[in-house]
Amino acid sequence: MNEDRDLDRLLDAWFAEGPVQVADRMIDGTANRIARQRQVPAWRLRSWRFPTMSTPLKLVAIGAALLAVLVGGAVFMGGGTPPPTPPPAASPAPASAGFGGTVHYLLDGTPATTEVDATATGAVVSGTAVTTFGGGTHTVRIACAARDGDTWAVAGTIEQTTVRDAPIGDWSAVIVKDGSPQPIAIWFSDDVRTGIDCNGWLGSNDLATFGPENFRQLESGALTPPPDLAH
């Protein structure tokens, strides 16, 4: 019975201190005492009374504490924190596609050439439209495009020109109707209005109202619209 009391005192001291880790000597001593503990018949166990936790329950608690320490150590040593979740993959950037072309026709009774060299990235367009004819050379910096029924257009501001009454910085557009050959019109100049961007200016004009008198039939070539405007 002295060994039982010694074991009880040892366990009570261990629980009172509340260690985080179990010392090796504690584990060895407890194991040795358990091995030497005389087995008590079940009928005798029923007559025992303990002021605190019984030795078998203490042993169970030690086992649970050991398991908690071992699991905690394994989590610590093994890097228990889960790896950070990788950020969601970025959406692929819209693909760029070239559009335009070179066409030949008569304008004011003289041979004319319009060359559109532009790129569309989604709904964003950029490039140049250069028209050369008897009245001069006219270069537009493309910044927008629109379609209205069978008519589409690219537009921007005049970058440089030798055409009369077409100030640099004004709006200008190349307008094309679907067909073969395509009818084409050049809107050389329109005043820039404060607070209106390229899309706003082009959208404020009803392309479908441009009459046949404004268009010229192509003699050769064709212009392709931006992919978003293609039928």
Side-chain angles (χ1 to χ4, degrees), residues 120-210:
T121 304
V124 178
V125 296
S126 61
T128 57
V130 181
T131 298
T132 303
F133 69 114
T137 299
H138 185 79
T139 302
V140 177
R141 177 58 58 181
I142 295 172
C144 61
R147 174 180 280 278
D148 187 356
D150 66 349
T151 306
W152 60 272
V154 291
T157 54
I158 302 171
E159 187 172 72
Q160 58 185 13
T161 187
T162 57
V163 176
R164 285 194 319 174
D165 300 325
I168 292 175
D170 273 11
W171 297 119
S172 185
V174 176
I175 306 169
V176 181
K177 280 187 177 292
D178 295 332
S180 181
Q182 296 168 318
I184 185 172
I186 308 298
W187 190 347
F188 281 104
S189 178
D190 189 32
D191 294 338
V192 171
R193 296 185 292 277
T194 303
I196 298 180
D197 62 6
C198 184
N199 285 299
W201 174 75
L202 191 55
S204 67
N205 295 285
D206 188 354
L207 300 178
T209 62
F210 280 73

Side-chain angles (χ1 to χ4, degrees), residues 28-49:
D28 294 341
T30 301
N32 291 335
R33 289 179 182 274
I34 292 173
R36 296 197 305 270
Q37 179 67 40
R38 181 165 52 89
Q39 301 299 315
V40 181
W43 64 269
R44 291 186 59 188
L45 289 175
R46 286 197 296 270
S47 64
W48 288 8
R49 295 290 184 272

